[in-house]
Amino acid sequence: MNVTPSPPRRATVHDVARVAGVSRGTVSRVLNGERYVSESARAAIERAIIEVGYIPNTAARNLVRQRTQAVAFIVHEPHALFLEDPNIGGILLGANAALSEEDYQLVCLVVDSERDTTRVARYLNGGFVDGAIVVSARVDDPISRAIEKLQIPAAFVGHPPGLSVAWVGIDNRDSARAITERLLGTGRRRVGMIAAALDRDSGADRLEGFREAMGDRLDESLIEPVGLYSFHDGIAGMEALLRRSPDIDGVFAASDAVAAGALRALAAAGRRVPEDVGVVGFDDSNWARRTEPQLSTVHQPAEGLGAAAAQAVLARIAGESTGDGGTILATPIVWRASA
Amino acid sequence: MNVTPSPPRRATVHDVARVAGVSRGTVSRVLNGERYVSESARAAIERAIIEVGYIPNTAARNLVRQRTQAVAFIVHEPHALFLEDPNIGGILLGANAALSEEDYQLVCLVVDSERDTTRVARYLNGGFVDGAIVVSARVDDPISRAIEKLQIPAAFVGHPPGLSVAWVGIDNRDSARAITERLLGTGRRRVGMIAAALDRDSGADRLEGFREAMGDRLDESLIEPVGLYSFHDGIAGMEALLRRSPDIDGVFAASDAVAAGALRALAAAGRRVPEDVGVVGFDDSNWARRTEPQLSTVHQPAEGLGAAAAQAVLARIAGESTGDGGTILATPIVWRASA
DNA sequence: TTGAAAGCGGTACCAT
DNA sequence: ATGGTACCGCTTTCAA
């Protein structure tokens, strides 16, 4: 069949002007609510707008105004992680809310392949957005380069190592230290850690914080490194720990998902939580309230991070801030029943 | 300080032409890899491009070409659901991959407030995208209206009741019937259902399918309706069922999250799964592999849905298809250990 | 108060 | 092959 129904040409300012019997300039003034338009002209134009079914083409407007009232939100996560990460959704929602407040449109771009990387970089170059928020940046990929080269107002969530830019994040080391100390405060003697994602800042920092809190009491054999912040790695990590050090009575899991896995492994091994073993996690994600018992954990302010990143970008768009500093958000400990 | 560093004006085709000593037309030809450009001109232009640091402004190009090579992905979920829904991420990734294949940019817009609704509708009107994929459409909201009015090539994921448009989805009723029958096939006598989200198509259809499969054997008191597809509602639903009908020996939970909750409640009540009670879920989401025992469930092809929606949109952009039909994807049963 | 005209950054057609 | 020019849809001086 392939009968494409006549693409109904959209009415333009031109059409409105013609029908209203005025110039396009006057129409534009009405459209933008400016002064110096006679009542009669305004009325005629408003009538014409309805008559011809006029809808403004914002893209054209942006071209001349040289600003778009839009900010990109770029997610740069490997496939699986994107689906799993409990924070990403919150960050997105937080950023969207903050931008929405200022009537900015958040456009989220996801990078899931080499091809995406260059296309997104092109998009950034293309003049479709006034700024960008980047989650999980890679150093020296086309996207970071585009942002730097074009000096696009940007903020990163999580500190991109090596990049000197504005960023917001949390203090993973300090938070890890704090919750480990709290765990120690419950009287545990043999405290271990299931460390994850040591190739990332966050993972390495959490381990570092654990080390700090343990000080002299640290027994290296009580540290079990695993690959991802995942439930399954949590199970494996806990099993390894139990095998190696059956007398373990406290565990700091690098994330709630890992902690949930640890709980599962402990239950399978017949250990009671928190009576025999105290367990603490990190993130305060959905996991934390679904385990039995519920997790004591570090609250990660996902929506706050998104909002802060958005505000940083908006400030730079407004030319208010040129600093490359980082903003660190508070991470209160939420004490529940698992320790 | 507020010293906005001199906004470095971006080089344009004009600049390149001037430096290369040719006309803008010729520059444009080189940019678009057309024929009929002398080697000398091409070389001069390429040199000039580097010299002035030219970066094309895609937005301007789109304006004249009247197409953007971008498709919107609109998510219209209430706040909490957005963070919970196990399918949305997969749909997004599937759509992105399919669009990426054709060198289209997916721009995801999230609707989380009244304000967002109108802003997104404006964005759609604005001429920034060639098409749209809509997840969780509302009937007669500004977004659906914009799409209809502008005849934007679109596809909906899940059948938007009342709207006559292209859509992709699954057959919830049939899938529910199939897995219920399979559950009955294991010899259960007293099979119930924790029905959820009955105000949505999907929820109502799954219950309908359950009813069909049960036929004469249906005992209305074994149906427990709960609010959301959530873990906690799963717990509550199962508790209610156990209270009312202690002899229950089979449960169809409206989603995996609900099933996970049911498992928790059953464990708390001392029932063994699958020995005492068989449980089946719906979605085949992350939940399914994290419960103990792992869930038997209906596989929901999230990425496939996203890809199919993307292809439908691309086809309509190409003017190939004008049908308003729906595409139904297969939902194989995945049999694990919970029944 | 209003219209005319010059762009915004490109593309595309038409002579040459 | 190339330059000239009209135009995409809208905003923004500048005169009148």
Side-chain angles (χ1 to χ4, degrees):
Chain A
M1 287 312 221
N2 283 19
V3 185
T4 314
S6 60
R9 199 182 64 73
R10 288 171 51 154
T12 71
V13 169
H14 214 110
D15 302 320
V16 175
R18 197 167 26 72
V19 171
V22 300
S23 77
R24 327 188 261 169
T26 306
V27 174
S28 181
R29 268 164 233 138
V30 169
L31 254 23
N32 295 293
E34 284 173 31
R35 282 165 315 184
Y36 302 130
V37 182
S38 69
E39 259 323 306
S40 60
R42 162 165 285 116
I45 289 170
E46 279 166 355
R47 231 178 296 117
I49 285 179
I50 295 174
E51 184 183 330
V52 302
Y54 171 74
I55 293 171
N57 181 320
T58 321
R61 166 182 300 183
N62 288 347
L63 181 59
V64 42
R65 286 211 181 144
Q66 300 289 65
R67 67 197 161 102
T68 65
Q69 211 68 351
V71 169
F73 183 96
I74 300 167
V75 187
H76 206 162
E77 286 280 5
H79 200 92
L81 238 66
F82 177 81
L83 297 174
E84 298 270 343
D85 194 314
N87 297 310
I88 178 91
I91 297 173
L92 175 62
L93 253 21
N96 184 61
L99 290 173
S100 185
E101 200 65 35
E102 302 297 326
D103 213 32
Y104 270 76
Q105 176 63 50
L106 160 26
V107 317
C108 168
L109 311 173
V110 1
V111 178
D112 188 33
S113 69
E114 202 53 46
R115 193 164 184 175
D116 291 352
T117 310
T118 61
R119 197 170 17 64
V120 166
R122 220 159 64 213
Y123 190 88
L124 249 26
N125 286 328
F128 297 101
V129 293
D130 297 335
I133 295 168
V134 184
V135 183
S136 314
R138 299 286 176 284
V139 182
D140 198 47
D141 70 351
I143 294 175
S144 303
R145 268 204 302 277
I147 288 176
E148 221 172 338
K149 187 163 178 187
L150 278 86
Q151 295 180 247
I152 297 176
F156 291 71
V157 178
H159 194 182
L163 244 47
S164 119
V165 290
W167 59 276
V168 303
I170 62 170
D171 190 328
N172 281 291
R173 188 165 53 72
D174 205 53
S175 310
R177 191 182 43 63
I179 197 158
T180 303
E181 281 169 359
R182 176 87 186 249
L183 178 59
L184 286 167
T186 64
R188 313 286 172 177
R189 302 258 143 223
R190 296 281 291 163
V191 173
M193 173 171 182
I194 305 176
L198 292 177
D199 52 336
R200 295 185 164 214
D201 266 24
S202 62
D205 288 353
R206 289 175 199 182
L207 174 55
E208 190 51 41
F210 173 75
R211 283 214 154 87
E212 268 184 44
M214 295 299 291
D216 295 341
R217 288 163 290 194
L218 181 60
D219 175 349
E220 287 289 341
S221 78
L222 283 174
I223 295 176
E224 176 67 22
V226 298
L228 299 172
Y229 290 122
S230 76
F231 178 74
H232 286 106
D233 279 339
I235 296 181
M238 191 68 238
E239 285 171 350
L241 242 28
L242 281 172
R243 217 175 299 123
R244 199 160 59 226
S245 311
D247 60 337
I248 193 167
D249 68 354
V251 179
F252 168 37
S255 84
D256 288 350
V258 172
L263 251 34
R264 169 69 52 81
L266 285 166
R271 308 291 181 105
R272 293 167 308 163
V273 175
E275 294 83 351
D276 303 333
V277 184
V279 176
V280 297
F282 204 113
D283 280 347
D284 194 22
S285 63
N286 289 331
W287 286 102
R289 298 174 163 285
R290 288 178 184 155
T291 54
E292 173 54 36
Q294 296 190 352
L295 293 174
S296 295
T297 188
V298 173
H299 178 75
Q300 171 131 231
E303 301 202 12
L305 288 169
Q311 272 140 13
V313 170
L314 289 176
R316 313 191 120 223
I317 289 176
E320 285 166 17
S321 153
T322 64
D324 283 349
T327 303
I328 293 189
L329 266 52
T331 48
I333 288 177
V334 182
W335 207 250
R336 298 203 178 88
S338 67
Chain B
M1 286 312 217
N2 282 17
V3 185
T4 313
S6 62
R9 199 183 65 74
R10 288 171 50 154
T12 71
V13 167
H14 216 109
D15 302 319
V16 175
R18 197 167 26 70
V19 170
V22 299
S23 76
R24 336 188 252 168
T26 306
V27 174
S28 181
R29 269 164 233 139
V30 169
L31 254 24
N32 296 292
E34 284 174 31
R35 282 166 314 182
Y36 303 131
V37 181
S38 68
E39 260 323 306
S40 60
R42 161 165 286 114
I45 290 170
E46 279 167 354
R47 231 177 296 116
I49 286 179
I50 293 174
E51 183 182 331
V52 303
Y54 171 75
I55 293 171
N57 181 322
T58 321
R61 165 182 298 183
N62 289 347
L63 181 60
V64 41
R65 285 207 181 147
Q66 298 290 64
R67 69 200 160 96
T68 64
Q69 211 68 355
V71 168
F73 183 95
I74 301 167
V75 187
H76 205 163
E77 286 280 5
H79 200 92
L81 239 65
F82 178 82
L83 296 175
E84 299 270 343
D85 194 314
N87 297 309
I88 177 91
I91 298 173
L92 175 61
L93 253 21
N96 184 62
L99 291 174
S100 185
E101 200 65 34
E102 302 297 325
D103 212 31
Y104 270 76
Q105 176 64 50
L106 159 20
V107 317
C108 169
L109 311 172
V110 2
V111 178
D112 189 33
S113 70
E114 202 53 46
R115 193 163 185 177
D116 291 352
T117 310
T118 62
R119 195 169 18 66
V120 166
R122 221 159 63 214
Y123 189 89
L124 249 26
N125 286 328
F128 296 101
V129 293
D130 296 336
I133 296 168
V134 185
V135 182
S136 314
R138 300 286 175 283
V139 182
D140 200 42
D141 70 351
I143 294 175
S144 303
R145 269 205 300 278
I147 288 175
E148 221 173 336
K149 188 165 177 186
L150 278 84
Q151 296 179 245
I152 296 176
F156 291 71
V157 178
H159 194 181
L163 244 47
S164 120
V165 290
W167 59 276
V168 303
I170 61 169
D171 190 329
N172 281 289
R173 187 165 55 71
D174 205 53
S175 310
R177 189 180 46 63
I179 197 158
T180 304
E181 281 169 359
R182 176 88 186 249
L183 177 59
L184 286 167
T186 64
R188 314 286 171 176
R189 302 257 142 226
R190 297 280 292 162
V191 173
M193 172 170 183
I194 305 176
L198 292 178
D199 54 334
R200 295 183 163 215
D201 266 24
S202 63
D205 288 352
R206 289 175 199 183
L207 174 54
E208 189 52 41
F210 174 75
R211 282 214 156 88
E212 269 184 44
M214 294 300 290
D216 294 342
R217 290 162 288 195
L218 181 61
D219 175 348
E220 287 289 341
S221 76
L222 283 173
I223 296 176
E224 177 67 21
V226 300
L228 300 172
Y229 290 121
S230 75
F231 179 73
H232 286 106
D233 279 339
I235 296 180
M238 192 68 239
E239 285 172 350
L241 241 28
L242 282 171
R243 218 175 300 122
R244 200 160 60 226
S245 311
D247 61 337
I248 192 168
D249 67 355
V251 180
F252 168 38
S255 84
D256 289 349
V258 172
L263 252 33
R264 170 68 52 82
L266 285 166
R271 308 291 181 105
R272 292 167 307 163
V273 175
E275 293 83 351
D276 303 333
V277 184
V279 176
V280 296
F282 204 112
D283 280 346
D284 194 22
S285 63
N286 289 331
W287 287 101
R289 298 176 163 285
R290 287 177 185 157
T291 55
E292 174 53 36
Q294 295 191 352
L295 292 174
S296 295
T297 188
V298 173
H299 178 74
Q300 171 130 231
E303 303 202 12
L305 288 170
Q311 271 140 13
V313 170
L314 289 175
R316 313 190 119 223
I317 289 176
E320 285 167 16
S321 152
T322 63
D324 283 350
T327 303
I328 294 190
L329 267 52
T331 49
I333 288 177
V334 182
W335 207 250
R336 296 202 180 89
S338 66

